[in-house]
PDB file of all heavy atoms in Angstrom:
ATOM      1  N   PRO B  19      20.199   4.662 -21.389  1.00 81.00           N
ATOM      2  CA  PRO B  19      18.984   4.202 -22.080  1.00 81.00           C
ATOM      3  C   PRO B  19      18.378   5.266 -22.982  1.00 81.00           C
ATOM      4  O   PRO B  19      17.496   4.961 -23.766  1.00 81.00           O
ATOM      5  CB  PRO B  19      18.029   3.821 -20.940  1.00 81.00           C
ATOM      6  CG  PRO B  19      18.609   4.349 -19.706  1.00 81.00           C
ATOM      7  CD  PRO B  19      20.026   4.751 -19.950  1.00 81.00           C
ATOM      8  N   TYR B  20      18.846   6.502 -22.860  1.00 86.00           N
ATOM      9  CA  TYR B  20      18.205   7.584 -23.610  1.00 86.00           C
ATOM     10  C   TYR B  20      19.036   7.961 -24.805  1.00 86.00           C
ATOM     11  O   TYR B  20      20.264   7.836 -24.801  1.00 86.00           O
ATOM     12  CB  TYR B  20      18.019   8.805 -22.712  1.00 86.00           C
ATOM     13  CG  TYR B  20      17.195   8.479 -21.502  1.00 86.00           C
ATOM     14  CD1 TYR B  20      17.803   8.216 -20.284  1.00 86.00           C
ATOM     15  CD2 TYR B  20      15.815   8.410 -21.594  1.00 86.00           C
ATOM     16  CE1 TYR B  20      17.055   7.888 -19.175  1.00 86.00           C
ATOM     17  CE2 TYR B  20      15.062   8.074 -20.491  1.00 86.00           C
ATOM     18  CZ  TYR B  20      15.680   7.819 -19.282  1.00 86.00           C
ATOM     19  OH  TYR B  20      14.931   7.490 -18.206  1.00 86.00           O
ATOM     20  N   GLN B  25      14.555  13.628 -24.021  1.00 88.00           N
ATOM     21  CA  GLN B  25      13.842  12.396 -23.675  1.00 88.00           C
ATOM     22  C   GLN B  25      14.105  12.045 -22.210  1.00 88.00           C
ATOM     23  O   GLN B  25      13.198  11.672 -21.460  1.00 88.00           O
ATOM     24  CB  GLN B  25      14.359  11.291 -24.602  1.00 88.00           C
ATOM     25  CG  GLN B  25      13.628   9.981 -24.503  1.00 88.00           C
ATOM     26  CD  GLN B  25      14.358   8.891 -25.276  1.00 88.00           C
ATOM     27  OE1 GLN B  25      15.569   8.970 -25.512  1.00 88.00           O
ATOM     28  NE2 GLN B  25      13.625   7.873 -25.686  1.00 88.00           N
ATOM     29  N   ALA B  29      11.346  11.802 -19.225  1.00 92.00           N
ATOM     30  CA  ALA B  29      11.163  10.567 -18.457  1.00 92.00           C
ATOM     31  C   ALA B  29      11.255  10.861 -16.965  1.00 92.00           C
ATOM     32  O   ALA B  29      10.447  10.368 -16.169  1.00 92.00           O
ATOM     33  CB  ALA B  29      12.198   9.536 -18.867  1.00 92.00           C
ATOM     34  N   MET B  32       8.116  12.549 -15.788  1.00 95.00           N
ATOM     35  CA  MET B  32       6.991  11.640 -15.722  1.00 95.00           C
ATOM     36  C   MET B  32       7.113  10.718 -14.505  1.00 95.00           C
ATOM     37  O   MET B  32       6.126  10.478 -13.793  1.00 95.00           O
ATOM     38  CB  MET B  32       6.940  10.811 -16.993  1.00 95.00           C
ATOM     39  CG  MET B  32       5.681  10.006 -17.066  1.00 95.00           C
ATOM     40  SD  MET B  32       5.572   9.094 -18.586  1.00 95.00           S
ATOM     41  CE  MET B  32       4.018   8.282 -18.281  1.00 95.00           C
ATOM     42  N   GLY B  33       8.309  10.234 -14.283  1.00 94.00           N
ATOM     43  CA  GLY B  33       8.527   9.381 -13.112  1.00 94.00           C
ATOM     44  C   GLY B  33       8.164  10.105 -11.836  1.00 94.00           C
ATOM     45  O   GLY B  33       7.504   9.558 -10.946  1.00 94.00           O
ATOM     46  N   SER B  40       1.269   8.446  -6.530  1.00 94.00           N
ATOM     47  CA  SER B  40       1.246   7.378  -5.546  1.00 94.00           C
ATOM     48  C   SER B  40       1.182   7.949  -4.126  1.00 94.00           C
ATOM     49  O   SER B  40       0.470   7.436  -3.262  1.00 94.00           O
ATOM     50  CB  SER B  40       2.470   6.519  -5.836  1.00 94.00           C
ATOM     51  OG  SER B  40       2.928   5.883  -4.731  1.00 94.00           O
ATOM     52  N   MET B  43      -2.322   8.917  -3.332  1.00 93.00           N
ATOM     53  CA  MET B  43      -3.138   7.766  -2.933  1.00 93.00           C
ATOM     54  C   MET B  43      -2.872   7.383  -1.477  1.00 93.00           C
ATOM     55  O   MET B  43      -3.766   6.937  -0.763  1.00 93.00           O
ATOM     56  CB  MET B  43      -2.862   6.566  -3.839  1.00 93.00           C
ATOM     57  CG  MET B  43      -3.341   6.715  -5.259  1.00 93.00           C
ATOM     58  SD  MET B  43      -5.102   7.033  -5.412  1.00 93.00           S
ATOM     59  CE  MET B  43      -5.773   5.413  -5.081  1.00 93.00           C
ATOM     60  N   LEU B  44      -1.623   7.557  -1.035  1.00 93.00           N
ATOM     61  CA  LEU B  44      -1.284   7.237   0.358  1.00 93.00           C
ATOM     62  C   LEU B  44      -2.101   8.118   1.299  1.00 93.00           C
ATOM     63  O   LEU B  44      -2.793   7.631   2.195  1.00 93.00           O
ATOM     64  CB  LEU B  44       0.216   7.447   0.581  1.00 93.00           C
ATOM     65  CG  LEU B  44       0.732   7.104   1.966  1.00 93.00           C
ATOM     66  CD1 LEU B  44       0.940   5.602   2.068  1.00 93.00           C
ATOM     67  CD2 LEU B  44       2.050   7.805   2.256  1.00 93.00           C
ATOM     68  N   HIS B  59     -19.793   9.826  13.117  1.00 85.00           N
ATOM     69  CA  HIS B  59     -19.943  10.581  14.379  1.00 85.00           C
ATOM     70  C   HIS B  59     -19.904  12.084  14.110  1.00 85.00           C
ATOM     71  O   HIS B  59     -18.962  12.767  14.534  1.00 85.00           O
ATOM     72  CB  HIS B  59     -18.810  10.231  15.349  1.00 85.00           C
ATOM     73  CG  HIS B  59     -18.578   8.768  15.502  1.00 85.00           C
ATOM     74  ND1 HIS B  59     -19.387   7.967  16.259  1.00 85.00           N
ATOM     75  CD2 HIS B  59     -17.634   7.954  14.977  1.00 85.00           C
ATOM     76  CE1 HIS B  59     -18.944   6.716  16.200  1.00 85.00           C
ATOM     77  NE2 HIS B  59     -17.891   6.683  15.428  1.00 85.00           N
ATOM     78  N   ALA B 147     -15.486   8.554  23.146  1.00 81.00           N
ATOM     79  CA  ALA B 147     -14.517   7.741  22.418  1.00 81.00           C
ATOM     80  C   ALA B 147     -14.230   8.288  21.018  1.00 81.00           C
ATOM     81  O   ALA B 147     -13.070   8.364  20.610  1.00 81.00           O
ATOM     82  CB  ALA B 147     -15.002   6.295  22.355  1.00 81.00           C
ATOM     83  N   LEU B 151     -10.755   9.087  19.036  1.00 88.00           N
ATOM     84  CA  LEU B 151     -10.469   8.546  17.713  1.00 88.00           C
ATOM     85  C   LEU B 151     -10.041   9.656  16.749  1.00 88.00           C
ATOM     86  O   LEU B 151      -9.052   9.528  16.016  1.00 88.00           O
ATOM     87  CB  LEU B 151     -11.734   7.853  17.205  1.00 88.00           C
ATOM     88  CG  LEU B 151     -11.692   7.213  15.831  1.00 88.00           C
ATOM     89  CD1 LEU B 151     -10.667   6.118  15.817  1.00 88.00           C
ATOM     90  CD2 LEU B 151     -13.062   6.648  15.489  1.00 88.00           C
ATOM     91  N   ASN B 154      -6.618  10.771  17.487  1.00 89.00           N
ATOM     92  CA  ASN B 154      -5.658   9.765  17.035  1.00 89.00           C
ATOM     93  C   ASN B 154      -5.355   9.946  15.554  1.00 89.00           C
ATOM     94  O   ASN B 154      -4.202   9.928  15.126  1.00 89.00           O
ATOM     95  CB  ASN B 154      -6.237   8.358  17.237  1.00 89.00           C
ATOM     96  CG  ASN B 154      -6.043   7.856  18.646  1.00 89.00           C
ATOM     97  OD1 ASN B 154      -5.166   8.329  19.354  1.00 89.00           O
ATOM     98  ND2 ASN B 154      -6.864   6.923  19.054  1.00 89.00           N
ATOM     99  N   LEU B 158      -1.868  11.001  13.603  1.00 92.00           N
ATOM    100  CA  LEU B 158      -1.308  10.175  12.538  1.00 92.00           C
ATOM    101  C   LEU B 158      -1.133  10.982  11.249  1.00 92.00           C
ATOM    102  O   LEU B 158      -0.065  10.958  10.618  1.00 92.00           O
ATOM    103  CB  LEU B 158      -2.226   8.978  12.272  1.00 92.00           C
ATOM    104  CG  LEU B 158      -1.649   7.983  11.288  1.00 92.00           C
ATOM    105  CD1 LEU B 158      -0.791   6.970  12.038  1.00 92.00           C
ATOM    106  CD2 LEU B 158      -2.734   7.278  10.510  1.00 92.00           C
TER     107      LEU B 158
ATOM    108  N   ALA C 135      13.782   2.885 -17.969  1.00 94.00           N
ATOM    109  CA  ALA C 135      14.010   4.328 -17.869  1.00 94.00           C
ATOM    110  C   ALA C 135      14.935   4.666 -16.702  1.00 94.00           C
ATOM    111  O   ALA C 135      15.759   5.575 -16.798  1.00 94.00           O
ATOM    112  CB  ALA C 135      12.675   5.057 -17.716  1.00 94.00           C
ATOM    113  N   PHE C 136      14.799   3.952 -15.595  1.00 94.00           N
ATOM    114  CA  PHE C 136      15.612   4.278 -14.410  1.00 94.00           C
ATOM    115  C   PHE C 136      16.330   3.014 -13.938  1.00 94.00           C
ATOM    116  O   PHE C 136      15.859   2.326 -13.032  1.00 94.00           O
ATOM    117  CB  PHE C 136      14.735   4.839 -13.294  1.00 94.00           C
ATOM    118  CG  PHE C 136      13.847   5.963 -13.725  1.00 94.00           C
ATOM    119  CD1 PHE C 136      12.467   5.805 -13.772  1.00 94.00           C
ATOM    120  CD2 PHE C 136      14.390   7.181 -14.096  1.00 94.00           C
ATOM    121  CE1 PHE C 136      11.648   6.842 -14.177  1.00 94.00           C
ATOM    122  CE2 PHE C 136      13.577   8.228 -14.508  1.00 94.00           C
ATOM    123  CZ  PHE C 136      12.192   8.055 -14.553  1.00 94.00           C
ATOM    124  N   HIS C 208       6.273   4.633 -21.922  1.00 96.00           N
ATOM    125  CA  HIS C 208       5.908   5.911 -22.537  1.00 96.00           C
ATOM    126  C   HIS C 208       7.065   6.538 -23.302  1.00 96.00           C
ATOM    127  O   HIS C 208       6.880   7.067 -24.383  1.00 96.00           O
ATOM    128  CB  HIS C 208       5.451   6.895 -21.451  1.00 96.00           C
ATOM    129  CG  HIS C 208       3.974   6.871 -21.236  1.00 96.00           C
ATOM    130  ND1 HIS C 208       3.109   7.588 -22.008  1.00 96.00           N
ATOM    131  CD2 HIS C 208       3.223   6.209 -20.341  1.00 96.00           C
ATOM    132  CE1 HIS C 208       1.870   7.364 -21.596  1.00 96.00           C
ATOM    133  NE2 HIS C 208       1.913   6.525 -20.582  1.00 96.00           N
ATOM    134  N   LYS C 209       8.245   6.494 -22.710  1.00 94.00           N
ATOM    135  CA  LYS C 209       9.304   7.366 -23.224  1.00 94.00           C
ATOM    136  C   LYS C 209      10.388   6.656 -24.022  1.00 94.00           C
ATOM    137  O   LYS C 209      11.187   7.315 -24.669  1.00 94.00           O
ATOM    138  CB  LYS C 209       9.974   8.099 -22.044  1.00 94.00           C
ATOM    139  CG  LYS C 209       9.031   8.972 -21.245  1.00 94.00           C
ATOM    140  CD  LYS C 209       8.526  10.122 -22.089  1.00 94.00           C
ATOM    141  CE  LYS C 209       7.543  10.963 -21.304  1.00 94.00           C
ATOM    142  NZ  LYS C 209       6.796  11.897 -22.173  1.00 94.00           N
ATOM    143  N   LEU C 210      10.483   5.351 -23.946  1.00 93.00           N
ATOM    144  CA  LEU C 210      11.645   4.695 -24.554  1.00 93.00           C
ATOM    145  C   LEU C 210      11.286   3.770 -25.706  1.00 93.00           C
ATOM    146  O   LEU C 210      12.093   2.930 -26.094  1.00 93.00           O
ATOM    147  CB  LEU C 210      12.424   3.923 -23.483  1.00 93.00           C
ATOM    148  CG  LEU C 210      13.212   4.800 -22.501  1.00 93.00           C
ATOM    149  CD1 LEU C 210      13.916   3.946 -21.469  1.00 93.00           C
ATOM    150  CD2 LEU C 210      14.227   5.653 -23.242  1.00 93.00           C
ATOM    151  N   VAL C 235       1.050   1.333  -9.064  1.00 95.00           N
ATOM    152  CA  VAL C 235       1.373   2.677  -8.585  1.00 95.00           C
ATOM    153  C   VAL C 235       0.213   3.269  -7.785  1.00 95.00           C
ATOM    154  O   VAL C 235       0.425   3.949  -6.788  1.00 95.00           O
ATOM    155  CB  VAL C 235       1.741   3.585  -9.779  1.00 95.00           C
ATOM    156  CG1 VAL C 235       1.837   5.028  -9.355  1.00 95.00           C
ATOM    157  CG2 VAL C 235       3.057   3.129 -10.383  1.00 95.00           C
ATOM    158  N   LEU C 236      -1.023   2.974  -8.203  1.00 93.00           N
ATOM    159  CA  LEU C 236      -2.157   3.629  -7.546  1.00 93.00           C
ATOM    160  C   LEU C 236      -2.730   2.847  -6.368  1.00 93.00           C
ATOM    161  O   LEU C 236      -3.291   3.440  -5.450  1.00 93.00           O
ATOM    162  CB  LEU C 236      -3.273   3.892  -8.569  1.00 93.00           C
ATOM    163  CG  LEU C 236      -2.912   4.905  -9.649  1.00 93.00           C
ATOM    164  CD1 LEU C 236      -4.106   5.141 -10.554  1.00 93.00           C
ATOM    165  CD2 LEU C 236      -2.452   6.224  -9.045  1.00 93.00           C
ATOM    166  N   PRO C 239      -0.069   2.195  -2.545  1.00 94.00           N
ATOM    167  CA  PRO C 239      -0.026   3.145  -1.411  1.00 94.00           C
ATOM    168  C   PRO C 239      -1.215   2.997  -0.466  1.00 94.00           C
ATOM    169  O   PRO C 239      -1.069   3.288   0.733  1.00 94.00           O
ATOM    170  CB  PRO C 239      -0.033   4.519  -2.079  1.00 94.00           C
ATOM    171  CG  PRO C 239       0.028   4.314  -3.522  1.00 94.00           C
ATOM    172  CD  PRO C 239       0.018   2.878  -3.838  1.00 94.00           C
ATOM    173  N   LEU C 247      -2.066   1.992   9.531  1.00 91.00           N
ATOM    174  CA  LEU C 247      -3.183   2.111  10.473  1.00 91.00           C
ATOM    175  C   LEU C 247      -3.255   0.891  11.387  1.00 91.00           C
ATOM    176  O   LEU C 247      -3.506   1.005  12.585  1.00 91.00           O
ATOM    177  CB  LEU C 247      -4.503   2.288   9.715  1.00 91.00           C
ATOM    178  CG  LEU C 247      -4.666   3.607   8.955  1.00 91.00           C
ATOM    179  CD1 LEU C 247      -5.934   3.601   8.128  1.00 91.00           C
ATOM    180  CD2 LEU C 247      -4.688   4.791   9.903  1.00 91.00           C
ATOM    181  N   GLY C 255      -3.073   1.895  20.015  1.00 82.00           N
ATOM    182  CA  GLY C 255      -4.521   1.930  20.196  1.00 82.00           C
ATOM    183  C   GLY C 255      -5.186   3.004  19.375  1.00 82.00           C
ATOM    184  O   GLY C 255      -6.053   3.735  19.852  1.00 82.00           O
ATOM    185  N   LEU C 256      -4.785   3.132  18.112  1.00 83.00           N
ATOM    186  CA  LEU C 256      -5.302   4.200  17.261  1.00 83.00           C
ATOM    187  C   LEU C 256      -6.824   4.207  17.204  1.00 83.00           C
ATOM    188  O   LEU C 256      -7.444   5.251  17.279  1.00 83.00           O
ATOM    189  CB  LEU C 256      -4.730   4.042  15.850  1.00 83.00           C
ATOM    190  CG  LEU C 256      -5.116   5.149  14.878  1.00 83.00           C
ATOM    191  CD1 LEU C 256      -4.362   6.411  15.215  1.00 83.00           C
ATOM    192  CD2 LEU C 256      -4.832   4.747  13.449  1.00 83.00           C
ATOM    193  N   GLY C 257      -7.439   3.031  17.030  1.00 83.00           N
ATOM    194  CA  GLY C 257      -8.891   2.954  17.171  1.00 83.00           C
ATOM    195  C   GLY C 257      -9.710   3.117  15.915  1.00 83.00           C
ATOM    196  O   GLY C 257     -10.922   3.069  15.961  1.00 83.00           O
ATOM    197  N   ILE C 258      -9.054   3.322  14.752  1.00 86.00           N
ATOM    198  CA  ILE C 258      -9.830   3.514  13.520  1.00 86.00           C
ATOM    199  C   ILE C 258     -10.732   2.313  13.257  1.00 86.00           C
ATOM    200  O   ILE C 258     -11.842   2.447  12.759  1.00 86.00           O
ATOM    201  CB  ILE C 258      -8.882   3.700  12.315  1.00 86.00           C
ATOM    202  CG1 ILE C 258      -8.007   4.933  12.511  1.00 86.00           C
ATOM    203  CG2 ILE C 258      -9.659   3.802  11.018  1.00 86.00           C
ATOM    204  CD1 ILE C 258      -8.735   6.215  12.464  1.00 86.00           C
ATOM    205  N   GLY C 264     -15.418   3.797  18.659  1.00 79.00           N
ATOM    206  CA  GLY C 264     -16.260   4.390  17.626  1.00 79.00           C
ATOM    207  C   GLY C 264     -15.718   4.141  16.235  1.00 79.00           C
ATOM    208  O   GLY C 264     -16.203   4.681  15.258  1.00 79.00           O
TER     209      GLY C 264
END
Side-chain angles (χ1 to χ4, degrees):
Chain B
Y20 302 99
Q25 187 190 24
M32 189 177 179
S40 152
M43 291 302 285
L44 182 81
H59 312 283
L151 180 62
N154 277 338
L158 186 88
Chain C
F136 309 112
H208 267 276
K209 300 294 178 193
L210 287 179
V235 170
L236 294 183
L247 292 174
L256 184 73
I258 299 292

